[in-house]
Amino acid sequence: MTSEITLFVNPTAGRGRGAHAARPAAHALREAGHQVRTVVGQDAADALARARQAVAGGTGALVAVGGDGMVSLALQAVAGTGIPFGVVAVGSGNDFARATGLPVRNPAASGAAIAAALREGRTREVDLGRTGERWFGTVLASGFDSRVNDRGNRMRWPAGRFRYDLAMLAELAALRPIPYRLRLDDAPEREIEATLIAVGNGTSYGGGMRICADARMDDGLFDVCVVGPCSRTTLLRVFPRVYRGTHPSHPVVTVHRAARVGLAADGITGYADGERVGPLPLAARTVPRALRLLV
């Protein structure tokens, strides 16, 4: 294995923390004797092309510096290749890092941990999800939550998190059950009504919302959380429980486990790792041990 490590950097992650975080992480790796190459693309497509080039060239590890969006982009380059993958989590959500027990918003600690893992050959093989050609590490979301994302992405004002708070209020006002067609593994397709369906390889999305709280990233299965039809009042009661992961005890919530999931619904967009995938129907499958994570 080459001693050259590739830092895959989002300089704007966490309101500019990405650019600053690369320095202490790079310092820790250089102190451990590694050569460090930094990759910053002109845009997402250019960055991904550069990351894939580094992986194809046999880099010693690909290390994503940023938030969940950067991790998601990096997965498209490194998943299934056997190249070790590290994370310096400095975004606003960091759900992938939390699900895998990695340091959050401490780039020096992240760099030191990655250097130690490389020195000791310490990796953890984790599952990933795949929908079409896209890999994902945490959650594939559809329904009320993806409608909030859709609306927030269309809004030009206000900026920041408040935009999505307003989008959520607007979607609450328009809340209605969604007719889904759901298939789990080889079982017959079922027609159900639901407020949302989340397919979890990892536990959380949205910066700590533990929608699939019991999901494990090494069991070859998704946790599929179905929030059934509910009123605005019920949804507002259930919603705070998502942060504690206690919502499955509510009668409106059911959780299933499956290695393959098919979702279909009219007018609904799927989001994986917080990134837009496209309109339903979508099929997702688990790929066991698809990633060698430096831990």
Side-chain angles (χ1 to χ4, degrees), residues 180-192 256 258 260-263:
Y180 280 93
R181 298 185 303 282
L182 172 66
R183 171 167 288 181
L184 303 175
D185 289 330
D186 294 323
E189 183 177 80
R190 294 187 294 150
E191 295 186 357
I192 64 171
H256 313 270
R260 301 186 311 281
V261 179
L263 292 173

Side-chain angles (χ1 to χ4, degrees), residues 155-171:
M155 294 168 64
R156 297 183 180 275
W157 181 93
R161 183 70 196 176
F162 191 47
R163 174 189 302 174
Y164 292 92
D165 293 339
L166 287 181
M168 180 177 289
L169 290 174
E171 286 301 325

Side-chain angles (χ1 to χ4, degrees), residues 35-78:
Q35 299 175 18
V36 178
R37 175 189 174 203
T38 300
V39 169
V40 181
Q42 298 297 315
D43 53 30
D46 180 54
L48 179 55
R50 292 170 185 256
R52 283 176 167 158
Q53 185 178 31
V55 168
T59 185
L62 183 69
V63 177
V65 183
D68 287 317
M70 201 62 177
V71 170
S72 180
L73 192 61
L75 291 180
Q76 312 316 309
V78 75

Side-chain angles (χ1 to χ4, degrees), residues 5-168:
I5 307 303
T6 303
L7 289 187
F8 190 41
V9 181
N10 179 359
T12 63
R15 298 180 182 177
R17 284 193 295 268
H20 296 292
R23 298 189 192 107
H27 176 75
L29 289 165
R30 290 191 179 106
E31 285 287 299
H34 297 283
Q35 299 175 18
V36 178
R37 175 189 174 203
T38 300
V39 169
V40 181
Q42 298 297 315
D43 53 30
D46 180 54
L48 179 55
R50 292 170 185 256
R52 283 176 167 158
Q53 185 178 31
V55 168
T59 185
L62 183 69
V63 177
V65 183
D68 287 317
M70 201 62 177
V71 170
S72 180
L73 192 61
L75 291 180
Q76 312 316 309
V78 75
T81 68
I83 295 293
F85 180 58
V87 178
V88 179
V90 290
S92 55
N94 305 310
D95 288 295
F96 183 88
R98 294 178 198 279
T100 50
L102 299 176
V104 172
R105 295 180 189 165
N106 189 337
S110 295
I114 291 167
L118 288 166
R119 182 177 64 251
E120 299 166 15
R122 190 174 65 242
T123 60
R124 175 188 173 194
E125 292 186 323
V126 299
D127 305 339
L128 294 176
R130 197 164 195 189
T131 177
E133 296 301 310
R134 186 180 188 90
W135 299 91
F136 64 96
T138 55
V139 178
L140 172 65
S142 73
F144 175 79
D145 41 11
S146 63
R147 281 177 163 166
V148 171
N149 263 325
D150 282 341
R151 185 181 289 269
N153 291 341
R154 291 194 303 267
M155 294 168 64
R156 297 183 180 275
W157 181 93
R161 183 70 196 176
F162 191 47
R163 174 189 302 174
Y164 292 92
D165 293 339
L166 287 181
M168 180 177 289

